Amino acid sequence: MIYHISHVTDITSPCKDVRLISLSSPFISTFEIDPGQYINVKAVINGVEVERQYSVCDLQKDKITIGVKKVKSGIMSSYLIDSIKVGDEIEISNPDGRFIVEPKHEIRKSYLFLAAGIGITPIYKMIKEILEQEPKSEICLLYSNKTEKDIVFKSEFDQWKEMYQDQFHVIYTLTDNVNRSFFGLLKSKSSSWTGKTGRITLDFIKENYSSLESTIQKEVYLCGPTEFNIDLEKIVFELGIPHKQIHKEFFHVDQNTEAIASQNAMNAQLTFTLDGNKQTIEVKAKEKLLDAMIRQGVNAPHSCSSGACASCVCKLVSGKVSMDISLALDEDEIKDGYILACQARPLSPEIEIQYA
Ligand code: FES
């Protein structure tokens, strides 16, 4: 993956533990980006090189803005929220990702966006581009947060709701709409919020997505934590939307690294083809293919290292592997032999994979 040096030009804080960080570099003007994509951010933190992906909220000439939420024990997010300041240097990659929209002026679709928390960052850019470039399409955003102060981009969405009354519909819902006192022991309903409360459910979608019964082609985009995406994908499918029209991006993957087919674990020889070169390396029992490649100095593509982004996707040519999780692949891709190198561990003594 190619990285470019950029400089921090602006940091804003739309809500607690969230920062919108603008980065500038002459390379950014060469970026071709589809709304919804992310960039990788790389930094050396306490002597360790760390890479993470962040969705692009905005791109203007030579400036790109990413959304960052502080996650518990998150090395990079803590660094970006607590330490980074205007003028600092940071390395960024070209945009990547398959969670995208491709707006076209003549198209007419109905988009249903279901977002939770910071999962709104790729969706914000998608909605903005559809509103500007695909005027015949309609958009419904159902956006879930714990509390009112966690809602990111609320003023922008409310403004768009006024500007695009026939095209854009947004409903917020709060899952923790309570005031706490006495160290959180006593709760009372927050008095100021008059909007919806509770999780996004089947009934919530039926009640608020007015185009559900219409024949217009629908595209559903889900972006939130693992459980949110998995539950809502099932619900949306039950409501009659085919899988190929349901798109999802995972945030905060809760990974159980112990979930391994350990009884069958074995050392393996891994042959891989990357950038036209074929090479063979050793993989230790229980070791993930990506970890083995990085350990042996291979510059293998990767980003989140948690099965969520598909940066490490490759085709299993021969041999057997088990994947801890495979959130970034759909069932057809898995059937076609695609695997995530960051999640795959050897289950046969010889394995061959091929990168695109
Ligand atoms: S690196 Fe993101 S899915 Fe493997």
Side-chain angles (χ1 to χ4, degrees):
M1 186 168 283
I2 299 169
Y3 279 86
H4 316 284
I5 299 286
S6 73
H7 288 92
V8 178
T9 58
D10 194 29
I11 302 173
T12 58
S13 181
C15 30
K16 189 173 175 281
D17 289 340
V18 174
R19 300 287 182 276
L20 299 179
I21 301 177
S22 297
L23 304 159
S24 152
S25 159
F27 287 100
I28 292 172
S29 58
T30 67
F31 285 0
E32 286 179 9
I33 187 166
D34 287 315
Q37 288 192 306
Y38 60 81
I39 55 169
N40 274 21
V41 171
K42 187 163 79 172
V44 176
I45 303 166
N46 300 327
V48 179
E49 189 176 278
V50 184
E51 288 174 46
R52 290 290 181 274
Q53 58 181 199
Y54 292 99
S55 294
V56 175
C57 309
D58 202 14
L59 174 68
Q60 316 260 349
K61 291 185 186 154
D62 61 351
K63 194 171 100 170
I64 203 161
T65 303
I66 55 171
V68 180
K69 178 170 171 102
K70 192 167 179 175
V71 291
K72 209 173 158 193
S73 316
I75 301 172
M76 179 64 94
S77 66
S78 298
Y79 170 71
L80 292 175
I81 297 243
D82 298 332
S83 306
I84 202 111
K85 50 191 188 314
V86 170
D88 283 356
E89 254 182 21
I90 197 150
E91 285 189 82
I92 58 170
S93 72
N94 283 19
D96 201 357
R98 305 187 299 171
F99 184 69
I100 58 169
V101 291
E102 296 172 283
K104 292 191 181 64
H105 193 268
E106 64 284 2
I107 283 180
R108 180 170 179 260
K109 286 182 181 172
S110 172
Y111 294 92
L112 172 61
F113 291 98
L114 303 172
I118 194 65
I120 197 67
T121 48
I123 286 177
Y124 169 80
K125 176 75 174 155
M126 290 170 157
I127 293 177
K128 186 167 188 269
E129 295 295 321
I130 296 167
L131 290 173
E132 287 173 1
Q133 297 179 41
E134 205 173 281
K136 294 181 195 139
S137 289
E138 57 184 53
I139 299 166
C140 174
L141 167 63
L142 307 183
Y143 184 17
S144 168
N145 281 280
K146 277 191 180 160
T147 68
E148 187 175 4
K149 63 181 177 1
D150 297 317
I151 304 175
V152 188
F153 300 124
K154 186 170 187 302
S155 58
E156 287 85 346
F157 291 138
D158 289 346
Q159 200 182 349
W160 294 348
K161 199 173 159 183
E162 290 299 312
M163 283 170 66
Y164 302 94
Q165 289 185 10
D166 296 333
Q167 207 187 346
F168 179 56
H169 184 59
V170 55
I171 302 279
Y172 310 103
T173 183
L174 303 183
T175 55
D176 191 14
N177 183 39
V178 291
N179 287 327
R180 295 172 194 278
S181 58
F182 295 105
F183 306 102
L185 294 175
L186 292 180
K187 301 175 184 177
S188 64
K189 192 171 183 295
S190 171
S191 54
S192 60
W193 180 254
T194 54
K196 307 269 182 192
T197 56
R199 293 175 182 276
I200 299 176
T201 59
L202 184 136
D203 287 340
F204 189 93
I205 295 173
K206 279 185 175 171
E207 190 184 314
N208 294 292
Y209 179 40
S210 57
S211 297
L212 188 59
E213 303 298 333
S214 82
T215 53
I216 184 171
Q217 183 179 334
K218 298 170 192 70
E219 300 289 343
V220 180
Y221 287 81
L222 309 170
C223 194
T226 313
E227 197 183 318
F228 176 91
N229 282 8
I230 290 174
D231 290 352
L232 284 176
E233 184 178 16
K234 276 189 208 142
I235 287 174
V236 170
F237 184 67
E238 269 175 45
L239 288 169
I241 317 275
H243 280 301
K244 66 178 185 335
Q245 287 162 234
I246 306 173
H247 317 269
K248 53 192 187 296
E249 181 102 312
F250 289 85
F251 272 70
H252 312 310
V253 176
D254 308 317
Q255 193 168 12
N256 176 9
T257 51
E258 298 304 315
I260 312 165
S262 52
Q263 295 131 331
N264 300 319
M266 63 179 74
N267 295 325
Q269 297 270 332
L270 170 67
T271 301
F272 61 91
T273 307
L274 178 60
D275 298 330
N277 297 318
K278 203 169 197 175
Q279 204 180 326
T280 300
I281 59 166
E282 302 287 330
V283 184
K284 294 178 194 165
K286 299 186 190 177
E287 190 175 28
K288 293 171 179 172
L289 305 189
L290 176 66
D291 292 343
M293 287 189 272
I294 291 173
R295 177 172 59 77
Q296 290 164 82
V298 179
N299 188 17
H302 67 285
S303 176
C304 70
S305 297
S306 62
C309 74
S311 301
C312 65
V313 73
C314 54
K315 188 145 190 181
L316 184 65
V317 179
S318 62
K320 268 182 89 181
V321 298
S322 76
M323 281 192 282
D324 290 9
I325 50 175
S326 54
L327 299 171
L329 297 177
D330 62 31
E331 282 170 24
D332 288 343
E333 289 167 325
I334 293 172
K335 268 190 218 145
D336 288 344
Y338 289 97
I339 61 166
L340 300 172
C342 74
Q343 297 300 306
R345 305 177 196 258
L347 282 185
S348 63
E350 289 183 359
I351 295 161
E352 182 169 352
I353 59 171
Q354 173 139 25
Y355 287 94

